[in-house]
Amino acid sequence: MTGRRKPERMDLADAAEALAGARRLVVFTGAGMSAESGVPTFRDALTGLWERFDPQALATPEAFRADPALVWGWYEWRRAAVGRAEPNPGHRAVAALAARVPDTVVVTQNVDDLHERAGSAATVHLHGSLLTPRCSACAEPAPAPGAGAEPGEGRRLEPPRCGHCAAPVRPGVVWFGEALPEPAFAAAVEAAYRCDVLLTVGTSGLVYPAAEIPQVAARRGGTVIQVNPEETPLDAVCAVNLHGPAARVLPALVR
Ligand SMILES: CC(C)NC(=O)[C@H](Cc1c[nH]c2ccccc12)NC(=O)[C@H](CCCC/N=C(/NCCC(=O)O)S[C@H]1O[C@H](COP(=O)(O)OP(=O)(O)OC[C@H]2O[C@@H](n3cnc4c(N)ncnc43)[C@H](O)[C@@H]2O)[C@@H](O)[C@H]1O)NC(=O)OCc1ccccc1
Ligand SMILES: [Zn+2]
């Protein structure tokens, strides 16, 4: 691959060819995958959540201990927004790819259920999910609150109490400073280790250890293909960089 940037259609052809020949595929996704479904990303200028909210005050165990109602309210607001969102053509293209390449593993950093709703039932969630709240003390799974409890943006909402030990229920996501769920991370590393093609979509590649996954595949000689309108630190390990939006580029890749 020469340094000179090739017209997108040739990159697209290269990527489609690599995908057509894939025997063991990993699809690794981030917030950009759901951006066209109306779910905000974290770092995009103006619209990114971290542009408007302080991750230290909302997405850490310390934040939840300090003010459980502020944190619970914020995650309920995000869960309600995901409930109103629909999978986009990008999510559906990922499901179609998995149907075409039987040995496909979909690994996401996203805490929404749009991959599952698009047909990727066995999606590996590295950072948990908004739909699996649990007790903050005994980890007893808690029922997802009904639709009624939707707080406005930034509104505080007392978390429900655990039916088992009465401690506050917390969102089922992985906060900064918390370990990733071991089975999910191990499955993702193993899939990246043995894949021949890895497609990374809509991630800035800045959050670790998740951002290791595409790099493991590249180190193992896998063909790494990126779909992202912007350049990211992952460009360096990618054989093909498709600088366009997921919902437009992915369907073109599976046509
Ligand atoms: C910020 C970063 C520097 N910090 C970290 O990585 C930290 C610390 C750290 C650990 N190792 C390191 C090594 C180096 C440096 C720092 C660290 N990592 C941790 O804290 C991790 C935990 C990290 C997980 C945090 N939780 C999330 N989410 C759940 C919650 C929630 O959702 O609220 S991370 C959260 O942000 C991440 C955001 O990344 P992206 O998805 O990439 O989104 P972003 O907005 O950044 O980018 C969007 C991209 O999409 C593109 N895009 C936009 N539109 C489109 C479009 N239409 N189509 C395609 N692409 C598009 C944009 O161009 C952009 O590139 C996601 O992973 C998301 O899940 N835990 C841990 O290390 O624990 C230790 C430990 C170990 C053992 C035992 C105990 C403790
Ligand atoms: Zn409990």
Side-chain angles (χ1 to χ4, degrees), residues 29-33 35-36 41-44 48-50 58-59 74-75 78 109-111 126-128 130 173-180 201-210 227-232 244-247:
T29 69
M33 182 81 235
E36 292 154 280
T41 69
F42 293 81
R43 285 176 184 76
D44 281 293
L49 287 172
W50 299 151
L58 291 161
W74 189 64
Y75 280 96
R78 288 176 60 194
Q109 299 167 84
N110 299 344
V111 292
L126 292 179
H127 295 159
L130 292 167
V173 302
V174 178
W175 282 323
F176 290 100
E178 290 189 318
L180 276 52
V201 182
T203 183
S204 58
L206 294 173
V207 175
Y208 282 79
V227 177
N228 192 318
E230 308 292 329
E231 295 204 0
T232 74

CSV table of all heavy atoms in Angstrom, one decimal, residues 29-33 35-36 41-44 48-50 58-59 74-75 78 109-111 126-128 130 173-180 201-210 227-232 244-247, ligand 1:
chain,number,residue,atom,x,y,z
A,29,THR,N,-16.5,-2.2,17.4
A,29,THR,CA,-17.2,-0.9,17.2
A,29,THR,C,-17.2,0.0,18.4
A,29,THR,O,-17.0,-0.4,19.6
A,29,THR,CB,-18.7,-1.1,16.9
A,29,THR,OG1,-19.4,-1.7,18.0
A,29,THR,CG2,-18.8,-2.1,15.7
A,30,GLY,N,-17.4,1.3,18.2
A,30,GLY,CA,-17.4,2.3,19.2
A,30,GLY,C,-18.6,3.2,19.0
A,30,GLY,O,-19.5,2.9,18.1
A,31,ALA,N,-18.6,4.3,19.7
A,31,ALA,CA,-19.8,5.2,19.7
A,31,ALA,C,-20.2,5.7,18.3
A,31,ALA,O,-21.4,6.0,18.0
A,31,ALA,CB,-19.5,6.4,20.6
A,32,GLY,N,-19.2,5.8,17.4
A,32,GLY,CA,-19.6,6.3,16.0
A,32,GLY,C,-20.5,5.4,15.3
A,32,GLY,O,-21.3,5.8,14.4
A,33,MET,N,-20.5,4.1,15.7
A,33,MET,CA,-21.4,3.1,15.1
A,33,MET,C,-22.9,3.5,15.3
A,33,MET,O,-23.7,3.3,14.4
A,33,MET,CB,-21.2,1.8,15.7
A,33,MET,CG,-21.9,0.6,15.2
A,33,MET,SD,-21.3,0.0,13.7
A,33,MET,CE,-22.7,0.1,12.7
A,35,ALA,N,-23.9,6.7,16.1
A,35,ALA,CA,-24.1,8.2,16.0
A,35,ALA,C,-25.3,8.5,15.0
A,35,ALA,O,-26.1,9.3,15.3
A,35,ALA,CB,-22.8,8.8,15.4
A,36,GLU,N,-25.4,7.7,13.9
A,36,GLU,CA,-26.4,8.0,12.9
A,36,GLU,C,-27.8,7.4,13.4
A,36,GLU,O,-28.8,7.6,12.7
A,36,GLU,CB,-26.0,7.5,11.6
A,36,GLU,CG,-24.8,8.3,11.0
A,36,GLU,CD,-24.0,7.5,10.0
A,36,GLU,OE1,-23.2,6.7,10.5
A,36,GLU,OE2,-24.2,7.6,8.8
A,41,THR,N,-22.0,10.5,20.6
A,41,THR,CA,-20.7,9.9,20.9
A,41,THR,C,-20.1,10.5,22.1
A,41,THR,O,-20.8,11.3,22.7
A,41,THR,CB,-19.7,10.1,19.7
A,41,THR,OG1,-19.4,11.5,19.6
A,41,THR,CG2,-20.3,9.6,18.4
A,42,PHE,N,-18.9,10.3,22.4
A,42,PHE,CA,-18.3,10.9,23.7
A,42,PHE,C,-17.4,12.1,23.3
A,42,PHE,O,-17.4,13.1,24.0
A,42,PHE,CB,-17.5,9.8,24.4
A,42,PHE,CG,-18.4,8.7,24.9
A,42,PHE,CD1,-18.8,7.7,24.1
A,42,PHE,CD2,-18.8,8.8,26.3
A,42,PHE,CE1,-19.6,6.7,24.6
A,42,PHE,CE2,-19.6,7.8,26.8
A,42,PHE,CZ,-20.0,6.8,25.9
A,43,ARG,N,-16.6,11.9,22.3
A,43,ARG,CA,-15.6,12.9,22.1
A,43,ARG,C,-15.8,13.8,20.9
A,43,ARG,O,-15.0,14.7,20.6
A,43,ARG,CB,-14.3,12.2,21.9
A,43,ARG,CG,-13.7,11.7,23.2
A,43,ARG,CD,-12.5,10.9,23.2
A,43,ARG,NE,-12.2,10.5,24.5
A,43,ARG,CZ,-12.8,9.5,25.1
A,43,ARG,NH1,-13.8,8.9,24.4
A,43,ARG,NH2,-12.6,9.1,26.3
A,44,ASP,N,-16.9,13.6,20.1
A,44,ASP,CA,-17.1,14.5,18.9
A,44,ASP,C,-17.3,15.9,19.4
A,44,ASP,O,-18.0,16.2,20.3
A,44,ASP,CB,-18.2,14.0,18.0
A,44,ASP,CG,-17.7,12.8,17.2
A,44,ASP,OD1,-16.9,13.0,16.3
A,44,ASP,OD2,-18.2,11.7,17.5
A,48,GLY,N,-20.4,15.6,21.4
A,48,GLY,CA,-19.9,14.5,22.3
A,48,GLY,C,-20.3,14.7,23.7
A,48,GLY,O,-20.4,15.8,24.3
A,49,LEU,N,-20.7,13.6,24.4
A,49,LEU,CA,-21.1,13.6,25.8
A,49,LEU,C,-20.0,14.3,26.7
A,49,LEU,O,-20.3,15.1,27.5
A,49,LEU,CB,-21.4,12.2,26.3
A,49,LEU,CG,-22.7,11.6,25.8
A,49,LEU,CD1,-22.8,10.1,26.3
A,49,LEU,CD2,-23.9,12.4,26.3
A,50,TRP,N,-18.8,14.0,26.5
A,50,TRP,CA,-17.7,14.5,27.3
A,50,TRP,C,-17.5,16.0,27.0
A,50,TRP,O,-16.8,16.6,27.8
A,50,TRP,CB,-16.4,13.7,27.2
A,50,TRP,CG,-16.5,12.2,27.6
A,50,TRP,CD1,-15.7,11.3,27.1
A,50,TRP,CD2,-17.3,11.6,28.5
A,50,TRP,NE1,-16.0,10.0,27.7
A,50,TRP,CE2,-17.1,10.2,28.6
A,50,TRP,CE3,-18.3,12.1,29.4
A,50,TRP,CZ2,-17.7,9.3,29.4
A,50,TRP,CZ3,-19.0,11.2,30.2
A,50,TRP,CH2,-18.7,9.8,30.2
A,58,LEU,N,-19.4,11.6,36.6
A,58,LEU,CA,-20.5,10.8,36.2
A,58,LEU,C,-20.2,9.3,35.9
A,58,LEU,O,-21.0,8.4,36.1
A,58,LEU,CB,-21.2,11.4,35.0
A,58,LEU,CG,-21.9,12.7,35.2
A,58,LEU,CD1,-22.2,13.4,33.9
A,58,LEU,CD2,-23.3,12.4,35.9
A,59,ALA,N,-19.0,9.0,35.4
A,59,ALA,CA,-18.6,7.7,34.9
A,59,ALA,C,-17.5,7.1,35.7
A,59,ALA,O,-16.6,6.4,35.1
A,59,ALA,CB,-18.3,7.7,33.4
A,74,TRP,N,-28.5,10.3,35.2
A,74,TRP,CA,-27.8,10.5,33.9
A,74,TRP,C,-27.9,9.3,33.0
A,74,TRP,O,-28.2,9.3,31.8
A,74,TRP,CB,-26.4,11.0,34.1
A,74,TRP,CG,-25.6,11.4,32.9
A,74,TRP,CD1,-25.9,12.5,32.1
A,74,TRP,CD2,-24.5,10.8,32.3
A,74,TRP,NE1,-25.0,12.5,31.1
A,74,TRP,CE2,-24.1,11.5,31.2
A,74,TRP,CE3,-23.7,9.6,32.7
A,74,TRP,CZ2,-23.0,11.2,30.4
A,74,TRP,CZ3,-22.6,9.3,31.9
A,74,TRP,CH2,-22.3,10.1,30.8
A,75,TYR,N,-27.7,8.1,33.7
A,75,TYR,CA,-27.7,6.9,32.9
A,75,TYR,C,-29.1,6.5,32.5
A,75,TYR,O,-29.4,6.0,31.5
A,75,TYR,CB,-27.0,5.7,33.7
A,75,TYR,CG,-25.5,5.8,33.6
A,75,TYR,CD1,-24.7,6.4,34.5
A,75,TYR,CD2,-24.9,5.3,32.4
A,75,TYR,CE1,-23.3,6.5,34.3
A,75,TYR,CE2,-23.5,5.4,32.3
A,75,TYR,CZ,-22.7,6.0,33.2
A,75,TYR,OH,-21.4,6.1,33.0
A,78,ARG,N,-29.8,8.5,29.5
A,78,ARG,CA,-29.1,7.9,28.3
A,78,ARG,C,-29.9,6.6,27.9
A,78,ARG,O,-30.1,6.3,26.7
A,78,ARG,CB,-27.7,7.6,28.6
A,78,ARG,CG,-26.8,8.8,28.7
A,78,ARG,CD,-25.4,8.5,29.1
A,78,ARG,NE,-24.7,7.6,28.1
A,78,ARG,CZ,-23.6,6.9,28.4
A,78,ARG,NH1,-23.0,7.0,29.5
A,78,ARG,NH2,-23.1,6.1,27.5
A,109,GLN,N,-17.7,-1.5,22.3
A,109,GLN,CA,-17.5,-0.6,23.5
A,109,GLN,C,-18.8,0.1,23.9
A,109,GLN,O,-18.9,0.7,24.9
A,109,GLN,CB,-16.4,0.4,23.2
A,109,GLN,CG,-15.1,-0.1,22.8
A,109,GLN,CD,-14.2,1.0,22.3
A,109,GLN,OE1,-13.5,1.7,23.0
A,109,GLN,NE2,-14.2,1.1,20.9
A,110,ASN,N,-19.8,-0.1,23.0
A,110,ASN,CA,-21.1,0.6,23.2
A,110,ASN,C,-21.9,0.0,24.3
A,110,ASN,O,-21.9,-1.3,24.5
A,110,ASN,CB,-21.9,0.7,21.9
A,110,ASN,CG,-21.1,1.5,20.9
A,110,ASN,OD1,-20.1,2.2,21.3
A,110,ASN,ND2,-21.4,1.4,19.6
A,111,VAL,N,-22.7,0.8,25.0
A,111,VAL,CA,-23.5,0.2,26.1
A,111,VAL,C,-25.0,0.2,25.7
A,111,VAL,O,-25.9,0.0,26.5
A,111,VAL,CB,-23.4,1.1,27.4
A,111,VAL,CG1,-22.0,0.9,28.0
A,111,VAL,CG2,-23.6,2.6,27.1
A,126,LEU,N,-17.7,-5.0,25.9
A,126,LEU,CA,-16.5,-4.8,26.7
A,126,LEU,C,-16.8,-3.8,27.9
A,126,LEU,O,-16.2,-3.9,28.9
A,126,LEU,CB,-15.4,-4.2,25.8
A,126,LEU,CG,-14.8,-5.2,24.8
A,126,LEU,CD1,-13.7,-4.4,24.0
A,126,LEU,CD2,-14.3,-6.4,25.4
A,127,HIS,N,-17.7,-2.9,27.6
A,127,HIS,CA,-18.0,-1.8,28.7
A,127,HIS,C,-19.4,-1.9,29.2
A,127,HIS,O,-20.0,-1.0,29.7
A,127,HIS,CB,-17.7,-0.4,28.1
A,127,HIS,CG,-16.3,-0.2,27.7
A,127,HIS,ND1,-15.9,0.7,26.8
A,127,HIS,CD2,-15.2,-0.8,28.1
A,127,HIS,CE1,-14.6,0.7,26.7
A,127,HIS,NE2,-14.1,-0.3,27.4
A,128,GLY,N,-19.9,-3.2,29.2
A,128,GLY,CA,-21.2,-3.4,29.8
A,128,GLY,C,-22.4,-2.9,29.0
A,128,GLY,O,-22.3,-2.6,27.8
A,130,LEU,N,-26.5,-0.6,29.2
A,130,LEU,CA,-27.4,0.2,30.0
A,130,LEU,C,-28.6,-0.6,30.4
A,130,LEU,O,-29.4,-0.2,31.2
A,130,LEU,CB,-27.9,1.4,29.1
A,130,LEU,CG,-26.9,2.5,28.8
A,130,LEU,CD1,-27.4,3.4,27.6
A,130,LEU,CD2,-26.5,3.3,30.0
A,173,VAL,N,-22.8,-0.7,33.6
A,173,VAL,CA,-21.7,-0.3,32.6
A,173,VAL,C,-20.4,-0.4,33.4
A,173,VAL,O,-20.3,-0.5,34.6
A,173,VAL,CB,-21.9,1.1,32.1
A,173,VAL,CG1,-23.2,1.2,31.4
A,173,VAL,CG2,-21.8,2.1,33.3
A,174,VAL,N,-19.2,-0.4,32.6
A,174,VAL,CA,-17.9,-0.4,33.2
A,174,VAL,C,-17.5,1.1,33.3
A,174,VAL,O,-17.4,1.8,32.3
A,174,VAL,CB,-16.9,-1.1,32.3
A,174,VAL,CG1,-15.5,-1.0,32.9
A,174,VAL,CG2,-17.3,-2.6,32.1
A,175,TRP,N,-17.2,1.5,34.5
A,175,TRP,CA,-16.8,2.9,34.7
A,175,TRP,C,-15.3,3.1,34.6
A,175,TRP,O,-14.5,2.1,34.7
A,175,TRP,CB,-17.3,3.4,36.1
A,175,TRP,CG,-18.7,3.8,36.2
A,175,TRP,CD1,-19.4,4.4,35.2
A,175,TRP,CD2,-19.6,3.6,37.2
A,175,TRP,NE1,-20.7,4.6,35.6
A,175,TRP,CE2,-20.9,4.1,36.8
A,175,TRP,CE3,-19.5,3.0,38.5
A,175,TRP,CZ2,-22.0,4.0,37.7
A,175,TRP,CZ3,-20.6,3.0,39.3
A,175,TRP,CH2,-21.9,3.5,38.9
A,176,PHE,N,-14.8,4.3,34.4
A,176,PHE,CA,-13.3,4.5,34.4
A,176,PHE,C,-12.7,4.1,35.7
A,176,PHE,O,-13.3,4.3,36.7
A,176,PHE,CB,-13.0,6.0,34.1
A,176,PHE,CG,-13.4,6.3,32.6
A,176,PHE,CD1,-14.5,7.0,32.3
A,176,PHE,CD2,-12.5,6.0,31.6
A,176,PHE,CE1,-14.9,7.3,31.0
A,176,PHE,CE2,-12.8,6.3,30.3
A,176,PHE,CZ,-14.0,6.9,30.0
A,177,GLY,N,-11.6,3.3,35.6
A,177,GLY,CA,-11.0,2.8,36.8
A,177,GLY,C,-11.5,1.4,37.2
A,177,GLY,O,-11.0,0.8,38.1
A,178,GLU,N,-12.5,0.9,36.5
A,178,GLU,CA,-13.0,-0.4,36.8
A,178,GLU,C,-12.5,-1.4,35.7
A,178,GLU,O,-12.3,-1.1,34.6
A,178,GLU,CB,-14.5,-0.4,36.8
A,178,GLU,CG,-15.2,0.3,37.9
A,178,GLU,CD,-16.7,0.1,38.0
A,178,GLU,OE1,-17.3,0.1,36.9
A,178,GLU,OE2,-17.2,-0.1,39.1
A,179,ALA,N,-12.3,-2.6,36.2
A,179,ALA,CA,-11.9,-3.7,35.3
A,179,ALA,C,-13.0,-4.0,34.3
A,179,ALA,O,-14.2,-4.0,34.6
A,179,ALA,CB,-11.4,-4.9,36.1
A,180,LEU,N,-12.6,-4.4,33.1
A,180,LEU,CA,-13.6,-4.9,32.1
A,180,LEU,C,-14.0,-6.3,32.5
A,180,LEU,O,-13.3,-7.0,33.2
A,180,LEU,CB,-12.9,-5.0,30.7
A,180,LEU,CG,-12.9,-3.7,29.9
A,180,LEU,CD1,-12.3,-2.5,30.6
A,180,LEU,CD2,-12.3,-3.9,28.5
A,201,VAL,N,-14.9,0.1,13.6
A,201,VAL,CA,-15.9,1.1,13.1
A,201,VAL,C,-16.2,2.1,14.2
A,201,VAL,O,-16.6,1.7,15.3
A,201,VAL,CB,-17.2,0.4,12.7
A,201,VAL,CG1,-18.2,1.4,12.2
A,201,VAL,CG2,-17.0,-0.7,11.7
A,202,GLY,N,-16.0,3.4,13.9
A,202,GLY,CA,-16.6,4.5,14.8
A,202,GLY,C,-16.0,4.5,16.2
A,202,GLY,O,-16.7,4.7,17.2
A,203,THR,N,-14.7,4.2,16.3
A,203,THR,CA,-14.0,4.4,17.6
A,203,THR,C,-12.8,5.3,17.5
A,203,THR,O,-12.1,5.2,16.5
A,203,THR,CB,-13.6,3.1,18.2
A,203,THR,OG1,-13.1,3.3,19.5
A,203,THR,CG2,-12.6,2.3,17.4
A,204,SER,N,-12.6,6.1,18.5
A,204,SER,CA,-11.4,7.0,18.5
A,204,SER,C,-10.1,6.3,18.9
A,204,SER,O,-9.0,6.8,18.8
A,204,SER,CB,-11.7,8.2,19.5
A,204,SER,OG,-11.9,7.6,20.8
A,205,GLY,N,-10.3,5.0,19.5
A,205,GLY,CA,-9.2,4.2,19.8
A,205,GLY,C,-8.4,4.8,21.0
A,205,GLY,O,-7.2,4.6,21.1
A,206,LEU,N,-9.0,5.5,21.8
A,206,LEU,CA,-8.3,6.2,22.9
A,206,LEU,C,-8.6,5.6,24.3
A,206,LEU,O,-7.8,5.9,25.2
A,206,LEU,CB,-8.8,7.7,23.0
A,206,LEU,CG,-8.5,8.6,21.8
A,206,LEU,CD1,-9.2,10.0,22.0
A,206,LEU,CD2,-7.0,8.8,21.7
A,207,VAL,N,-9.5,4.7,24.4
A,207,VAL,CA,-9.9,4.1,25.7
A,207,VAL,C,-9.3,2.7,25.8
A,207,VAL,O,-9.6,1.8,25.0
A,207,VAL,CB,-11.4,4.1,25.9
A,207,VAL,CG1,-11.7,3.4,27.2
A,207,VAL,CG2,-11.9,5.6,26.0
A,208,TYR,N,-8.5,2.5,26.9
A,208,TYR,CA,-7.8,1.2,27.1
A,208,TYR,C,-8.5,0.4,28.2
A,208,TYR,O,-9.1,1.1,29.1
A,208,TYR,CB,-6.4,1.5,27.3
A,208,TYR,CG,-5.6,1.8,26.1
A,208,TYR,CD1,-5.7,3.0,25.5
A,208,TYR,CD2,-4.9,0.8,25.4
A,208,TYR,CE1,-5.0,3.3,24.3
A,208,TYR,CE2,-4.2,1.0,24.2
A,208,TYR,CZ,-4.3,2.3,23.7
A,208,TYR,OH,-3.7,2.5,22.5
A,209,PRO,N,-8.4,-0.9,28.2
A,209,PRO,CA,-7.6,-1.7,27.3
A,209,PRO,C,-8.4,-2.1,26.0
A,209,PRO,O,-7.8,-2.7,25.1
A,209,PRO,CB,-7.4,-3.0,28.1
A,209,PRO,CG,-8.5,-3.1,29.1
A,209,PRO,CD,-8.9,-1.7,29.4
A,210,ALA,N,-9.6,-1.6,25.8
A,210,ALA,CA,-10.4,-1.9,24.6
A,210,ALA,C,-9.6,-1.6,23.3
A,210,ALA,O,-9.6,-2.4,22.4
A,210,ALA,CB,-11.7,-1.2,24.6
A,227,VAL,N,-13.4,2.2,9.5
A,227,VAL,CA,-14.4,3.0,9.0
A,227,VAL,C,-14.6,4.1,10.0
A,227,VAL,O,-15.0,3.9,11.2
A,227,VAL,CB,-15.7,2.3,8.8
A,227,VAL,CG1,-16.8,3.2,8.3
A,227,VAL,CG2,-15.6,1.1,7.8
A,228,ASN,N,-14.2,5.4,9.7
A,228,ASN,CA,-14.3,6.5,10.6
A,228,ASN,C,-14.1,7.8,9.8
A,228,ASN,O,-13.2,7.9,9.0
A,228,ASN,CB,-13.2,6.4,11.7
A,228,ASN,CG,-13.4,7.4,12.8
A,228,ASN,OD1,-13.8,8.6,12.6
A,228,ASN,ND2,-13.2,7.0,14.0
A,229,PRO,N,-15.0,8.8,9.9
A,229,PRO,CA,-14.9,10.0,9.1
A,229,PRO,C,-13.6,10.7,9.4
A,229,PRO,O,-13.0,11.4,8.6
A,229,PRO,CB,-16.1,10.9,9.5
A,229,PRO,CG,-17.0,9.9,10.1
A,229,PRO,CD,-16.2,8.8,10.7
A,230,GLU,N,-13.1,10.5,10.6
A,230,GLU,CA,-11.9,11.2,11.1
A,230,GLU,C,-10.7,10.2,11.1
A,230,GLU,O,-10.9,9.0,11.2
A,230,GLU,CB,-12.1,11.7,12.5
A,230,GLU,CG,-13.3,12.6,12.8
A,230,GLU,CD,-13.2,13.9,12.0
A,230,GLU,OE1,-12.1,14.4,11.9
A,230,GLU,OE2,-14.3,14.4,11.5
A,231,GLU,N,-9.5,10.8,11.2
A,231,GLU,CA,-8.3,10.0,11.4
A,231,GLU,C,-8.2,9.7,12.9
A,231,GLU,O,-8.6,10.5,13.7
A,231,GLU,CB,-7.0,10.7,10.9
A,231,GLU,CG,-7.1,11.0,9.4
A,231,GLU,CD,-5.6,11.2,8.8
A,231,GLU,OE1,-4.7,11.1,9.7
A,231,GLU,OE2,-5.5,11.4,7.6
A,232,THR,N,-7.7,8.5,13.2
A,232,THR,CA,-7.5,8.2,14.7
A,232,THR,C,-6.1,7.5,14.8
A,232,THR,O,-5.5,7.2,13.8
A,232,THR,CB,-8.6,7.1,15.1
A,232,THR,OG1,-8.2,5.8,14.5
A,232,THR,CG2,-10.0,7.5,14.6
A,244,GLY,N,-15.4,7.7,6.1
A,244,GLY,CA,-16.8,8.0,5.9
A,244,GLY,C,-17.7,7.5,7.0
A,244,GLY,O,-17.2,6.8,7.9
A,245,PRO,N,-19.0,7.9,7.0
A,245,PRO,CA,-19.9,7.5,8.1
A,245,PRO,C,-20.3,6.0,8.0
A,245,PRO,O,-20.5,5.5,6.9
A,245,PRO,CB,-21.0,8.4,8.0
A,245,PRO,CG,-21.0,8.9,6.5
A,245,PRO,CD,-19.6,8.8,6.1
A,246,ALA,N,-20.4,5.4,9.1
A,246,ALA,CA,-20.7,3.9,9.2
A,246,ALA,C,-22.0,3.5,8.4
A,246,ALA,O,-22.0,2.6,7.6
A,246,ALA,CB,-20.8,3.5,10.6
A,247,ALA,N,-23.0,4.3,8.5
A,247,ALA,CA,-24.3,3.9,7.9
A,247,ALA,C,-24.3,4.1,6.4
A,247,ALA,O,-25.1,3.5,5.7
A,247,ALA,CB,-25.4,4.8,8.5
B,1,LIG,C1,-9.7,8.1,28.4
B,1,LIG,C2,-8.6,7.1,28.5
B,1,LIG,C3,-7.3,7.8,28.4
B,1,LIG,N1,-8.7,6.4,29.8
B,1,LIG,C4,-8.7,5.1,29.8
B,1,LIG,O1,-8.5,4.4,28.8
B,1,LIG,C5,-8.9,4.5,31.2
B,1,LIG,C6,-7.5,4.5,32.0
B,1,LIG,C7,-6.5,3.7,31.3
B,1,LIG,C8,-6.3,2.4,31.5
B,1,LIG,N2,-5.3,2.0,30.7
B,1,LIG,C9,-4.7,3.0,30.1
B,1,LIG,C10,-3.6,3.1,29.2
B,1,LIG,C11,-3.3,4.3,28.7
B,1,LIG,C12,-4.1,5.4,29.1
B,1,LIG,C13,-5.2,5.4,30.0
B,1,LIG,C14,-5.5,4.1,30.5
B,1,LIG,N3,-9.4,3.1,31.1
B,1,LIG,C15,-10.1,2.7,32.1
B,1,LIG,O2,-10.4,3.3,33.1
B,1,LIG,C16,-10.7,1.3,31.9
B,1,LIG,C17,-12.2,1.3,31.7
B,1,LIG,C18,-12.6,2.0,30.5
B,1,LIG,C19,-14.1,1.9,30.2
B,1,LIG,C20,-14.8,3.2,30.6
B,1,LIG,N4,-16.2,3.1,30.2
B,1,LIG,C21,-16.7,3.5,29.1
B,1,LIG,N5,-18.1,3.3,28.8
B,1,LIG,C22,-19.0,2.8,29.7
B,1,LIG,C23,-19.6,3.9,30.6
B,1,LIG,C24,-20.4,4.9,29.8
B,1,LIG,O3,-20.7,4.6,28.6
B,1,LIG,O4,-20.8,5.9,30.4
B,1,LIG,S1,-15.7,4.1,27.9
B,1,LIG,C25,-16.7,5.0,26.8
B,1,LIG,O5,-15.9,5.9,26.1
B,1,LIG,C26,-15.3,5.2,25.0
B,1,LIG,C27,-15.5,6.2,23.9
B,1,LIG,O6,-14.8,5.7,22.9
B,1,LIG,P1,-15.4,5.6,21.4
B,1,LIG,O7,-16.5,4.6,21.4
B,1,LIG,O8,-14.3,5.5,20.5
B,1,LIG,O9,-16.2,7.1,21.2
B,1,LIG,P2,-15.5,8.5,20.9
B,1,LIG,O10,-16.6,9.5,21.1
B,1,LIG,O11,-14.2,8.6,21.7
B,1,LIG,O12,-15.1,8.4,19.4
B,1,LIG,C28,-16.2,8.3,18.4
B,1,LIG,C29,-15.5,8.0,17.1
B,1,LIG,O13,-16.5,7.8,16.1
B,1,LIG,C30,-16.2,8.6,15.0
B,1,LIG,N6,-17.5,8.9,14.3
B,1,LIG,C31,-18.4,9.9,14.6
B,1,LIG,N7,-19.5,9.7,13.8
B,1,LIG,C32,-19.3,8.6,13.1
B,1,LIG,C33,-20.1,7.9,12.1
B,1,LIG,N8,-21.3,8.4,11.7
B,1,LIG,N9,-19.6,6.8,11.5
B,1,LIG,C34,-18.4,6.3,11.9
B,1,LIG,N10,-17.6,6.9,12.9
B,1,LIG,C35,-18.1,8.0,13.4
B,1,LIG,C36,-15.5,9.8,15.5
B,1,LIG,O14,-14.7,10.4,14.4
B,1,LIG,C37,-14.6,9.2,16.6
B,1,LIG,O15,-13.4,8.8,16.2
B,1,LIG,C38,-16.1,4.0,24.7
B,1,LIG,O16,-15.4,2.9,24.9
B,1,LIG,C39,-17.3,4.1,25.7
B,1,LIG,O17,-17.7,2.9,26.1
B,1,LIG,N11,-10.5,0.5,33.2
B,1,LIG,C40,-9.3,0.3,33.7
B,1,LIG,O18,-8.3,0.6,33.1
B,1,LIG,O19,-9.3,-0.3,34.9
B,1,LIG,C41,-8.0,-0.6,35.5
B,1,LIG,C42,-8.2,-1.7,36.3
B,1,LIG,C43,-7.7,-2.9,35.9
B,1,LIG,C44,-7.8,-4.0,36.7
B,1,LIG,C45,-8.6,-4.0,37.9
B,1,LIG,C46,-9.1,-2.7,38.3
B,1,LIG,C47,-9.0,-1.6,37.5
